[in-house]
Amino acid sequence: MTSQRGESAALTATPVKKRKRLDKSHYLYMAVIVAVVLGAVIGLLFPEVGKSLKPLGDGFIKLIKMMIAPIIFCTIVLGIGSIAKAATVGKVGGLALGYFMVMSTFALAIGLVVGNLIHPGEGLKLAPYDPNKKAATDSTVDFLLGIIPSDIPVLPTLFAAILVGFALQRMGPQGVPILKAISHGQVLVFRILIMIMWVAPVGAFGAIAAVVGATGVQAIVGMATLMIAFYLTCALFIVVILGGLLQVIAGVNIFRLMRYLGREYLLIFSTSSSEAALPRLIAKMEHLGVSKPVVGVTVPTGYSFNLDGTAIYLTMASLFVANAMGTPLDLGAQISLLVFMIIASKGAAGVTGAGLATLAAGLQAHAPQLLGGVGMIVGIDRFMSEARALTNFTGNAVATVLIGTWVKEIDGGQLERVLSGTEPFDEQTMLAGHGAPQEAAASAQPVPANA
């Protein structure tokens, strides 16, 4: 009896490891992959059936279009307010914002250059999107699609948001409650967008089935070309551009910094979101030797304004859609699109799907007939989200080291000891002692940040 009791107590005392549940976003990711594969198979084996599924993709596009105006309005208004707030921090804030604008513009330009070199989507010749055209569908389909509200013009919304943002700046303290209300409104808008993104597998299934049914294997080749080119472009941007700046200005090898941030890369890759690593990046940059004021200003602001991977994605995806629709953009249209994306990409730092909404906003503002091609991007957007998030994260880590070097607020000796491994990062210290920086980041961050 005593022996049995002892064994029972031992079994009771032994901690039972709970099986870690997958995050909900992983289920969405897997559902999109399955939907894309099924859509491609249906389109190849049963082309006519695939074409008949086009309303599924059209409905999802209408849902995304419905959210464009509120997303643009909220993010631009809050963005203008946060720029003013960050600029008041002084030299670090102004330097950080200037660097972020230059790098975002440069990343957008790189996306345009690569897109013009490889011509992704060329030869697909999809039918242009016409919201007023009555398709050969039954009345039930027309009725269901008609329930979704029509889109609101983007450029007037953008103009109004800029005016409201500057007006709230001039109001000073009186404008703070209004900014808080708009911030709450943004949370609501993003919550609705999250709900819509759960319909993405259905939209992707219909869009891919219709495209493959109409064009065959060529559509699959075109999407694969875009994904491979995007990953290679992001890799070259990190190694050549960011790595070159880091080596020349701070004397730090990019691969040593990336090895130091290895756990964060695994976390981002598993969640497809750079926001998941925000508190860890703050803690690790401080441990690296960058002063707390520099980290406290640069990292949260960069998470909203330094989105290099998103910038590359927006321009390459825009050119892909234009080529796929058989209406390639001329140089003037590309430059105007780039200017729009410089502003609108600041609103892409929200939740999964915000980048897709920003892409749709740019296309709607410059060439509404191209919106039909967004359905193809839905199918491969999730495959490119990891590269976007990893590039955004690396850009912010490099920016923190560079700005710390420029303002002479970095301990070179500490940096070398950390990167050489003689002073490793203490995970327990990070978890126990870095609550304050995390809270500071949350309060200083003007717009929710994501990939």
Side-chain angles (χ1 to χ4, degrees):
M1 286 291 292
T2 306
S3 174
Q4 290 179 349
R5 286 177 183 174
E7 290 177 4
S8 176
L11 289 171
T12 306
T14 304
V16 179
K17 290 185 178 180
K18 292 183 178 180
R19 188 175 180 181
K20 189 177 180 181
R21 293 183 178 181
L22 287 175
D23 186 77
K24 289 182 178 180
S25 63
H26 286 77
Y27 293 112
L28 176 60
Y29 196 177
M30 290 185 288
V32 170
I33 294 174
V34 172
V36 169
V37 173
L38 284 178
V41 171
I42 294 291
L44 286 173
L45 299 181
F46 310 100
E48 294 304 318
V49 175
K51 293 176 186 177
S52 68
L53 296 173
K54 190 174 184 294
L56 295 178
D58 291 343
F60 182 76
I61 292 171
K62 287 193 69 176
L63 287 171
I64 292 292
K65 285 177 60 185
M66 178 182 72
M67 302 306 300
I68 290 173
I71 287 175
I72 291 294
F73 181 82
C74 292
T75 51
I76 295 302
V77 170
L78 295 174
I80 291 175
S82 64
I83 288 176
K85 184 177 180 180
T88 61
V89 175
K91 185 177 180 181
V92 174
L95 190 60
L97 287 170
Y99 172 81
F100 295 156
M101 291 302 295
V102 170
M103 290 306 294
S104 295
T105 305
F106 190 69
L108 286 164
I110 286 177
L112 285 181
V113 170
V114 174
N116 280 285
L117 287 175
I118 65 173
H119 301 289
E122 195 172 54
L124 293 180
K125 296 181 180 178
L126 304 179
Y129 174 79
D130 184 1
N132 299 316
K133 182 181 178 182
K134 295 295 182 182
T137 55
D138 58 36
S139 57
T140 303
V141 173
D142 291 335
F143 171 75
L144 293 174
L145 290 179
I147 294 175
I148 305 173
S150 300
D151 56 279
I152 302 172
V154 172
L155 291 180
T157 302
L158 181 62
F159 180 69
I162 292 172
L163 289 179
V164 172
F166 283 113
L168 289 173
Q169 279 187 14
R170 297 296 299 271
M171 290 175 66
Q174 291 180 328
V176 173
I178 302 175
L179 278 173
K180 286 184 178 179
I182 294 175
S183 178
H184 290 307
Q186 185 192 49
V187 173
L188 173 62
V189 169
F190 280 162
R191 176 56 56 185
I192 296 172
L193 185 62
I194 290 174
M195 294 166 61
I196 290 174
M197 289 309 298
W198 279 98
V199 191
V202 178
F205 171 72
I208 297 299
V211 170
V212 175
T215 62
V217 181
Q218 192 172 4
I220 300 174
V221 174
M223 290 185 289
T225 301
L226 175 63
M227 286 190 294
I228 294 171
F230 176 69
Y231 268 83
L232 289 176
T233 303
C234 287
L236 289 174
F237 182 84
I238 291 173
V239 174
V240 178
I241 306 302
L242 295 179
L245 286 173
L246 191 64
Q247 185 66 54
V248 171
I249 296 172
V252 176
N253 184 281
I254 185 69
F255 294 108
R256 296 181 72 196
L257 180 64
M258 292 175 70
R259 183 178 61 183
Y260 172 61
L261 299 171
R263 288 199 177 190
E264 287 67 43
Y265 284 123
L266 290 175
L267 178 62
I268 292 168
F269 189 81
S270 64
T271 60
S272 298
S273 170
S274 58
E275 187 184 28
L278 172 60
R280 291 182 61 88
L281 179 61
I282 291 174
K284 280 205 162 182
M285 287 296 102
E286 291 178 5
H287 178 69
L288 192 64
V290 184
S291 69
K292 284 191 176 183
V294 171
V295 175
V297 172
T298 305
V299 173
T301 307
Y303 258 65
S304 288
F305 293 96
N306 188 36
L307 304 167
D308 300 328
T310 303
I312 295 171
Y313 161 81
L314 288 173
T315 48
M316 290 187 68
S318 298
L319 292 180
F320 171 82
V321 170
N323 291 330
M325 303 301 286
T327 55
L329 302 173
D330 58 29
L331 183 60
Q334 290 182 23
I335 293 175
S336 63
L337 182 64
L338 184 146
V339 172
F340 178 88
M341 291 300 187
I342 289 173
I343 302 173
S345 62
K346 309 311 172 194
V351 294
T352 300
L356 192 65
T358 305
L359 172 65
L363 293 176
Q364 180 180 333
H366 290 78
Q369 72 275 13
L370 300 180
L371 277 172
V374 175
M376 288 187 69
I377 298 297
V378 173
I380 58 176
D381 176 77
R382 289 290 296 176
F383 296 105
M384 297 190 286
S385 60
E386 286 87 357
R388 287 203 305 267
L390 292 172
T391 306
N392 292 340
F393 178 81
T394 305
N396 287 315
V398 170
T400 305
V401 175
L402 293 180
I403 292 169
T405 302
W406 282 329
V407 298
K408 295 180 174 57
E409 291 286 337
I410 186 170
D411 186 338
Q414 172 76 0
L415 184 144
E416 181 57 35
R417 288 192 298 273
V418 170
L419 294 184
S420 64
T422 57
E423 192 168 326
F425 182 74
D426 188 343
E427 295 289 339
Q428 295 302 319
T429 301
M430 181 267 162
L431 294 174
H434 283 81
Q438 183 176 353
E439 292 170 5
S443 61
Q445 189 175 348
V447 187
N450 203 337

